[in-house]
Amino acid sequence: MKKFTMLLSALMFVSFIYAQPYHDFGFKQTFDVPVKDQNDAPFIFPWVGGLHQCQFNSLDLNFNGIKDLIVFDRTGNRLLTFLNDGINDSVSYVYAPEYQKEFPYVHDWIFLHDYNNNGKKDIFTYFAGGITVYRNDSDPATGIEFTKMTNMLLSQQYQHYLNIFASDVELPAFADFDGDGCMDVLVFHILGSYLNLHSSQSMKKYGHCDSLDFKRTFHCWGNIFESEDSNELTLGINCPYDNTKKEDTKGGNQMQHVGSTLLPIDLSGNGLLDLVIGDTDFPNLIAVYNEGTIDTANMVSQDINFPSYDVPVYLYSKPLPSLVDVNNNGLKDMLVSPFQPSLLITQSHESVWYYKNIGSDSIPHFELQTKSFLQEDMIDVGSGAYPVLYDIDGNGLLDLFVANYGYRDTSYYFEGFLYSDFISKIAYYKNTGTPTAPEFTLVTDDFVNLSSLKLTALYPAFGDIDGDGDIDMIIGENDGTLHFFENTAGPGNPPVFAPPVSNYQNIDVGRFSTPQLIDLNENGLLDLVIGNRVGLLVHYENTGTAQNPVFTHVTDTLGGVNTSEFSFATFGYSVPCFFKDSLGNYRLFVGSEAGKILYYDSISKNLDGTFKLVEEQLLLIYNGKRAGVAVADINNNGFVDMIIGNLSGGLNYYEGIDPNPVSIEEIVLNDKMLKIYPNPAQDIVYVETDQPLNPSHYTIEIYGITGQLISRQPFSNQVSTKDLSNGLYIFRVVGQDKGFRTVLNKKLIINK
């Protein structure tokens, strides 16, 4: 299987923009560091970052006539692209991240459908209570390109055009429901329980399907009613709505629907679209069968545990089915993944079920093949992945430990609400490579049987804190306390840990303790620095001796570090990783809930002061929310490497490289989402962005060719350039709104 290494040119650009006096850090994302499972079999996609809550679409990315795979992971809004090898009756994909940047930023959900029947699938995605549409204008000569058609898809509802309601939990369905050849939209009514069909009027009015012109034609499509407090369906109902009236005749006191997934599919071969439904807080899919007409759907029977003829879907919670020809045999298979918005309820391990279609497209018959499609070829440790590098066996090679929030153990209902219990483990990957070529092999997914503690959010720190020559372990956990594991094996022996000492030295940092043992004051004793849920760093100095550590509280706000972003989330979930640069000075990378890696220096001999925040988001790297980070020179090339984990349970690997500036030609600019004109410019440029921005949340920055910041100002649609001399500049829009970070870049030429 081929593997790709992606040079992050845009990130390198930021590296020289923020060049520091001592040393700046350059990285390239790489996917070819080998990782093997316990049977010594190599993972195909070890460093892709895990999968959690996924949608699947197909699209020909490289214009070779073969449909490739688009994976959207709702956890962290990650869009991943895989090229299909196209081998008949074979599941064979290659991760191809170079295509990801060609897509507009999407969040919550994405569907690809060809609404204008030109053979190119268009994008339908969520935006502010409705549906945003991007037309696919891709061409082999120019590459992948999407053009926004509307921020809000409208439909005639009574006498007015209103937005087709959708939400971040209420997913629509797109298909030709009425047989006129044009795509229609099916979605639950805004007050729930009933399905509204919005039929395309394009063929009727214009004789083609190019127009996004819709009209609500059915209030109760299929004559289905879904219970307001369960996923129970009632069929054959009398619709309480009357299309001829100007107002709904029912629903004023109804609760808004809590969320469903919809898959239109002909299951019986009668030429009519049936429906497969998943629902919030429930693990099963329900199939309802249509025996009406092409003009009037009528659901008459249901399979409440679809597919009951095989292994029924059972995924907490809100399973989302997708149809994709996974194995290149011309038949659409079914991929199912949970799509529950509450991340600490969802099944996160074995959360992508692949059902092979062994029937036909007219009468599909789905047979379960695996519960971990693609996941089984990745490092994927359930909910959350927090890497720690440490040479546990003393052979001079850094081993890899991957902690997690946990694996879902049980789910249950209490007072009408769904809850899930998780149990945390720590996976141990031994470095079986060489000093210059690391390779990791899974030894166990449950290091020293930590799952027996039945705790969540375990996080390890290693060091000889009792001075006996072997490596001890301290574990943080969800309740904010620590557990001490003394190594009793003695120097040079494989570690043997004594039973844990809980509530170690009465240390409690609130919630989500993420400790690091490090001699921060450089007096020869290992101190403790602990991240926590609120996003701060708590410092405990070792005031004992080499044989008898005593950790004394110093501060809850070490260095002024704070990873909280209230525009993104309530808490910061700080995960610290101190390390030394090539000159022996401490540096600090901190993982955060927002998925950023914050970079600080000015640490050594400044423990009572404020550390310098060098980069609020290191090199603009983002691999998913709730990031954890481990830093060390793993391949001994003189540059530190970095491994980043995320809430989807996977890891991304970044090899350290020479941080010297790259040329302007190497910069990858996200220019499709930003327009500035005229360009070349003289005294003024006008600014347009892909989506409307809240000016108070964004700034405009202009950088010179050598990386120096020329100007920074609040966002405006007009920017004066009269003070700029002739030359090449980088024009940037930077900001964050409603939890979503935007960084847009464009080359700007001044020619007066």
Side-chain angles (χ1 to χ4, degrees):
M1 182 66 69
K2 294 180 288 183
K3 295 183 174 66
F4 285 82
T5 299
M6 180 175 64
L7 180 61
L8 298 181
S9 304
L11 307 186
M12 290 289 291
F13 162 64
V14 178
S15 176
F16 79 75
I17 281 181
Y18 293 103
Q20 299 304 307
Y22 293 119
H23 178 273
D24 208 354
F25 301 98
F27 296 99
K28 67 175 180 180
Q29 189 171 10
T30 182
F31 304 95
D32 56 5
V33 173
V35 181
K36 297 180 179 179
D37 65 17
Q38 288 172 297
N39 298 316
D40 215 34
F43 288 117
I44 300 173
F45 314 113
W47 307 107
V48 170
L51 298 177
H52 192 182
Q53 305 178 77
C54 296
Q55 276 183 281
F56 295 87
N57 289 278
S58 61
L59 187 71
D60 184 2
L61 294 170
N62 55 359
F63 306 101
N64 67 350
I66 300 171
K67 289 292 191 293
D68 305 302
L69 191 63
I70 314 298
V71 183
F72 177 74
D73 187 348
R74 178 178 188 152
T75 303
N77 296 309
R78 302 163 57 231
L79 190 143
L80 309 172
T81 50
F82 294 81
L83 291 178
N84 186 350
D85 282 341
I87 303 171
N88 190 44
D89 286 323
S90 175
V91 180
S92 182
Y93 292 94
V94 175
Y95 182 49
E98 61 269 29
Y99 294 98
Q100 292 165 193
K101 68 180 184 298
E102 305 299 333
F103 287 77
Y105 175 74
V106 298
H107 56 86
D108 292 294
W109 47 259
I110 176 176
F111 293 91
L112 295 181
H113 286 274
D114 180 11
Y115 79 84
N116 54 5
N117 292 342
N118 67 349
K120 304 174 184 179
K121 289 187 177 182
D122 311 293
I123 291 177
F124 296 80
T125 187
Y126 173 66
F127 178 73
I131 301 169
T132 291
V133 183
Y134 293 87
R135 187 182 63 205
N136 187 342
D137 292 329
S138 303
D139 184 88
T142 58
I144 297 172
E145 184 172 354
F146 293 97
T147 302
K148 179 181 285 188
M149 301 306 293
T150 178
N151 260 335
M152 196 72 71
L153 191 61
L154 303 180
S155 174
Q156 184 181 347
Q157 301 173 54
Y158 306 114
Q159 305 303 315
H160 305 285
Y161 275 87
L162 305 172
N163 69 293
I164 298 176
F165 171 75
S167 74
D168 56 344
V169 297
E170 199 72 78
L171 278 64
F174 303 89
D176 179 11
F177 288 91
D178 56 15
D180 68 349
C182 299
M183 184 203 74
D184 310 303
V185 184
L186 185 71
V187 66
F188 269 100
H189 182 50
I190 189 171
L191 297 175
S193 296
Y194 302 99
L195 287 166
N196 289 180
L197 179 64
H198 299 268
S199 299
S200 172
Q201 303 299 294
S202 186
M203 183 63 69
K204 181 185 298 185
K205 289 183 177 181
Y206 312 111
H208 55 70
C209 296
D210 292 358
S211 176
L212 292 169
D213 189 345
F214 294 90
K215 179 179 181 180
R216 183 168 61 184
T217 52
F218 287 93
H219 282 89
C220 306
W221 185 85
N223 299 322
I224 304 171
F225 175 85
E226 185 176 70
S227 170
E228 296 171 4
D229 53 12
S230 75
N231 67 341
E232 181 180 343
L233 298 177
T234 302
L235 308 183
I237 57 99
N238 292 317
C239 186
Y241 298 104
D242 183 347
N243 286 347
T244 65
K245 295 184 178 180
K246 294 184 178 180
E247 296 183 76
D248 291 342
T249 60
K250 180 181 177 182
N253 295 321
Q254 287 180 273
M255 295 175 59
Q256 184 169 310
H257 195 239
V258 294
S260 292
T261 63
L262 304 171
L263 175 66
I265 177 176
D266 183 2
L267 294 169
S268 59
N270 65 356
L272 303 175
L273 285 175
D274 309 302
L275 203 60
V276 180
I277 304 175
D279 207 75
T280 297
D281 288 353
F282 294 92
N284 59 309
L285 287 176
I286 299 177
V288 288
Y289 294 86
N290 186 357
E291 293 188 12
T293 67
I294 193 66
D295 296 318
T296 306
N298 186 34
M299 303 301 179
V300 299
S301 61
Q302 57 184 305
D303 178 355
I304 63 172
N305 289 294
F306 182 79
S308 59
Y309 53 77
D310 192 68
V311 179
V313 170
Y314 198 85
L315 278 167
Y316 280 106
S317 147
K318 198 168 85 171
L320 169 63
S322 304
L323 292 179
V324 176
D325 180 8
V326 173
N327 61 345
N328 300 297
N329 67 350
L331 302 178
K332 290 184 178 179
D333 309 295
M334 184 170 69
L335 296 169
V336 189
S337 187
F339 224 62
Q340 161 76 36
S342 178
L343 299 176
L344 300 183
I345 289 177
T346 331
Q347 174 75 21
S348 55
H349 183 61
E350 296 188 337
S351 63
V352 182
W353 290 23
Y354 162 39
Y355 287 84
K356 180 181 179 181
N357 185 355
I358 61 171
S360 64
D361 270 344
S362 59
I363 307 179
H365 186 98
F366 297 115
E367 186 176 85
L368 182 64
Q369 305 296 301
T370 178
K371 295 183 178 181
S372 52
F373 176 69
L374 297 181
Q375 284 178 301
E376 57 203 3
D377 288 312
M378 300 179 183
I379 297 175
D380 191 318
V381 296
S383 292
Y386 307 103
V388 174
L389 290 163
Y390 200 88
D391 180 10
I392 195 67
D393 52 13
N395 66 352
L397 304 178
L398 288 169
D399 305 300
L400 174 63
F401 295 84
V402 190
N404 68 0
Y405 177 84
Y407 297 91
R408 191 193 67 87
D409 182 55
T410 56
S411 296
Y412 56 93
Y413 298 96
F414 179 71
E415 296 183 347
F417 293 94
L418 177 67
Y419 297 88
S420 293
D421 290 332
F422 287 73
I423 294 178
S424 184
K425 300 180 182 180
I426 296 177
Y428 165 38
Y429 290 83
K430 178 181 173 64
N431 190 339
T432 52
T434 68
T436 58
E439 173 185 286
F440 297 100
T441 301
L442 179 62
V443 176
T444 176
D445 68 352
D446 191 11
F447 185 61
V448 298
N449 195 31
L450 288 171
S451 65
S452 63
L453 300 177
K454 297 189 181 302
L455 301 173
T456 54
L458 299 181
Y459 188 92
F462 299 98
D464 180 11
I465 65 172
D466 56 8
D468 63 356
D470 54 24
I471 302 304
D472 308 299
M473 179 172 64
I474 288 176
I475 298 285
E477 60 140 313
N478 192 34
D479 74 356
T481 64
L482 302 179
H483 303 264
F484 172 57
F485 292 76
E486 182 185 1
N487 186 354
T488 61
N493 296 314
V496 176
F497 293 105
V501 176
S502 298
N503 197 25
Y504 179 61
Q505 295 200 18
N506 295 313
I507 294 172
D508 187 341
V509 298
R511 292 286 299 277
F512 197 77
S513 50
T514 53
Q516 183 179 6
L517 284 164
I518 184 169
D519 183 8
L520 201 57
N521 57 6
E522 302 183 88
N523 68 349
L525 302 178
L526 289 174
D527 307 302
L528 266 172
V529 178
I530 311 170
N532 59 17
R533 186 172 67 162
V534 297
L536 307 177
L537 298 186
V538 184
H539 179 206
Y540 285 83
E541 182 183 351
N542 189 346
T543 59
T545 66
Q547 291 72 36
N548 295 291
V550 176
F551 292 104
T552 301
H553 179 264
V554 178
T555 179
D556 291 331
T557 57
L558 178 65
V561 173
N562 189 341
T563 64
S564 295
E565 289 189 35
F566 294 114
S567 63
F568 182 88
T570 305
F571 300 107
Y573 288 94
S574 53
V575 183
C577 183
F578 287 90
F579 62 97
K580 287 190 174 181
D581 65 13
S582 59
L583 298 179
N585 297 310
Y586 274 124
R587 298 285 189 256
L588 169 64
F589 289 175
V590 190
S592 67
E593 171 71 357
K596 301 176 182 179
I597 305 300
L598 289 76
Y599 165 33
Y600 293 86
D601 69 5
S602 300
I603 297 166
S604 301
K605 299 180 181 179
N606 186 33
L607 301 184
D608 296 329
T610 299
F611 302 158
K612 179 182 177 182
L613 178 58
V614 182
E615 292 184 51
E616 185 181 355
Q617 184 178 8
L618 177 68
L619 302 182
L620 302 183
I621 291 172
Y622 177 82
N623 296 119
K625 66 186 302 182
R626 199 168 297 183
V629 59
V631 183
D633 185 2
I634 306 173
N635 57 6
N636 290 290
N637 69 347
F639 304 108
V640 294
D641 310 297
M642 179 170 59
I643 298 176
I644 300 174
N646 60 41
L647 195 52
S648 291
L651 301 180
N652 296 95
Y653 192 103
Y654 290 83
E655 181 183 351
I657 58 175
D658 190 334
N660 291 329
V662 297
S663 67
I664 197 69
E665 288 77 13
E666 294 179 271
I667 300 170
V668 176
L669 297 176
N670 194 7
D671 58 353
K672 292 181 180 179
M673 300 175 70
L674 174 65
K675 294 180 181 178
I676 57 173
Y677 60 91
N679 191 6
Q682 295 183 358
D683 295 333
I684 192 170
V685 294
Y686 299 92
V687 184
E688 292 183 4
T689 56
D690 183 66
Q691 293 189 10
L693 301 180
N694 184 337
S696 65
H697 294 174
Y698 289 84
T699 60
I700 288 177
E701 302 171 349
I702 299 177
Y703 290 89
I705 189 61
T706 59
Q708 76 275 21
L709 178 65
I710 304 297
S711 68
R712 177 184 287 122
Q713 66 180 67
F715 180 85
S716 172
N717 294 114
Q718 298 182 26
V719 177
S720 172
T721 55
K722 65 181 181 179
D723 294 330
L724 297 179
S725 56
N726 289 347
L728 179 62
Y729 298 85
I730 302 300
F731 189 100
R732 308 182 74 211
V733 175
V734 182
Q736 184 160 305
D737 191 10
K738 298 180 180 179
F740 302 112
R741 181 171 173 81
T742 302
V743 180
L744 306 178
N745 301 288
K746 189 80 173 181
K747 295 178 185 178
L748 171 63
I749 299 172
I750 301 297
N751 185 15
K752 299 179 181 180

